[in-house]
Amino acid sequence: MGKRTYEDVAKYVEWQSQHKCKVVSAKPEQHFDDLGVDVTVWNVKTDTDGAWWVVEGDTVPMNLYPQGAYYFGTDEAYSFHMGIMQRMQASKEQYNPDDYIEAATLGAEIAPQLLRKLRSIATLIDSATEIEDFQSIGVQSRETLIELGNYIYASHMACDQEQPQASNFKKKAELAIQFYLNGSDNADYRSIIKKMTEATWDYANKLTHSSSATYYEASTCISLCISLVGVYENILQKIHDPISQQSCPACKSKKLTVDNIVADENGKINAIHLMCEECENSFVVDFTN
Ligand SMILES: [Zn+2]
């Protein structure tokens, strides 16, 4: 599109104005390039139609915003303009729910039955427009969390307590957290994850019954569910990754590589030989006691 000139900007404002105004001055007030596009916000004054911010740039269409209550600075005008442009762009791009999930879980391995459910709610958000759509995202989020409860909980975790009801996600999660994150070292993690778990469940419930929810509450609900699944997958992966809890006895580094695994005839691991990448110290972690 090339660089817009004073004449371009003035002509645009005069054409857009409802009051047949004349532009009396227009100057580039501020340049932005933080979103990878060169954008200029012009400060334009007219004779009969007040003052305007005109936002324009290389690949963004020109638009104008009244100076005053809503757009009192170049930052506001710029943020608003780019927000609208990104929304238009996003609706043209192919939406891929898996990208959403991967971003929120940092690519953690997700159990297939949970991944399927997360995919299904992350797909819903793309076409959600009515209040019923947002509520149904709440319903599906709850179902996903119940599935998460079934995935992380096993009946032996109740010990001598009563078995939680099939759909009692909060209780199942609480027992699973107690089982996996035992010991006083984990007390803070237990407490924080319990709060996140309960808050996510409460949020999904709230959305289910909300009559004022928007796209943003529904999107938050999905983000919370995806994150929570990621949190529990990380807990399980830590349990199944004995090396994550080791560090080099000589230099305390956690950059360790496995040299050798010693297993018995049933495949049970007796020992792992590790090598420290920092100081090349070799040591053995014994799992027999
Ligand atoms: Zn070392």
Side-chain angles (χ1 to χ4, degrees):
M1 286 181 207
K3 275 255 166 286
R4 261 83 167 231
T5 61
Y6 174 96
E7 282 72 29
D8 298 331
V9 172
K11 212 184 286 170
Y12 174 75
V13 171
E14 286 166 5
W15 170 59
Q16 289 278 310
S17 169
Q18 313 283 315
H19 296 88
K20 295 199 185 323
C21 71
K22 280 268 166 252
V23 166
V24 293
S25 76
K27 64 179 171 72
E29 188 75 26
Q30 199 167 347
H31 296 278
F32 296 89
D33 61 4
D34 56 309
L35 295 172
V37 191
D38 273 322
V39 173
T40 304
V41 180
W42 293 70
N43 188 352
V44 181
K45 305 235 182 316
T46 68
D47 54 356
T48 57
D49 200 12
W52 301 85
W53 301 118
V54 172
V55 188
E56 56 91 12
D58 282 347
T59 53
V60 289
M62 185 145 51
N63 206 0
L64 80 179
Y65 302 94
Q67 293 187 16
Y70 292 114
Y71 310 104
F72 53 85
T74 50
D75 269 319
E76 279 83 1
Y78 171 69
S79 298
F80 189 82
H81 189 73
M82 296 311 276
I84 295 284
M85 292 307 125
Q86 277 173 347
R87 223 169 205 276
M88 287 167 61
Q89 200 58 38
S91 64
K92 269 184 262 163
E93 277 166 19
Q94 192 65 36
Y95 172 75
N96 181 3
D98 279 19
D99 294 343
Y100 198 167
I101 298 168
E102 254 193 66
T105 58
L106 301 176
E109 198 83 36
I110 306 285
Q113 70 272 34
L114 291 172
L115 188 58
R116 199 167 54 241
K117 286 209 174 276
L118 290 178
R119 239 184 227 142
S120 134
I121 47 172
T123 305
L124 285 179
I125 193 71
D126 192 34
S127 57
T129 43
E130 305 289 357
I131 188 76
E132 293 78 14
D133 302 334
F134 304 135
Q135 289 173 343
S136 101
I137 286 175
V139 173
Q140 294 234 27
S141 296
R142 262 174 33 174
E143 283 173 16
T144 306
L145 294 174
I146 290 169
E147 188 72 46
L148 173 64
N150 296 337
Y151 171 63
I152 57 177
Y153 177 76
S155 56
H156 67 84
M157 293 173 187
C159 300
D160 48 4
Q161 296 185 54
E162 211 182 307
Q163 287 297 327
Q165 287 180 316
S167 61
N168 192 342
F169 166 64
K170 280 188 184 179
K171 190 67 193 171
K172 284 185 176 178
E174 185 187 337
L175 292 167
I177 296 166
Q178 272 167 15
F179 178 79
Y180 287 117
L181 298 177
N182 53 14
S184 55
D185 276 4
N186 284 320
D188 288 343
Y189 290 126
R190 273 202 302 277
S191 149
I192 295 163
I193 291 172
K194 183 166 183 269
K195 282 181 216 157
M196 288 175 63
T197 304
E198 295 184 346
T200 304
W201 175 259
D202 293 343
Y203 200 104
N205 265 311
K206 170 83 187 158
L207 182 62
T208 303
H209 300 116
S210 171
S211 54
S212 59
T214 66
Y215 173 89
Y216 298 98
E217 281 79 24
S219 177
T220 299
C221 186
I222 296 173
S223 300
L224 288 172
C225 287
I226 294 172
S227 303
L228 197 69
V229 168
V231 166
Y232 281 97
E233 287 290 6
N234 276 312
I235 292 173
L236 296 177
Q237 278 163 23
K238 179 183 170 187
I239 303 304
H240 298 129
D241 178 7
I243 296 169
S244 73
Q245 289 152 66
Q246 307 297 327
S247 55
C248 170
C251 77
K252 303 278 176 257
S253 168
K254 295 183 78 74
K255 278 191 221 152
L256 307 171
T257 48
V258 176
D259 265 350
N260 192 21
I261 296 175
V262 184
D264 67 14
E265 63 274 19
N266 301 317
K268 185 184 174 296
I269 294 172
N270 286 330
I272 299 179
H273 294 246
L274 295 170
M275 214 260 291
C276 173
E277 288 178 30
E278 283 297 314
C279 72
E280 300 194 351
N281 173 38
S282 291
F283 62 101
V284 179
V285 183
D286 190 349
F287 292 102
T288 53
N289 45 30

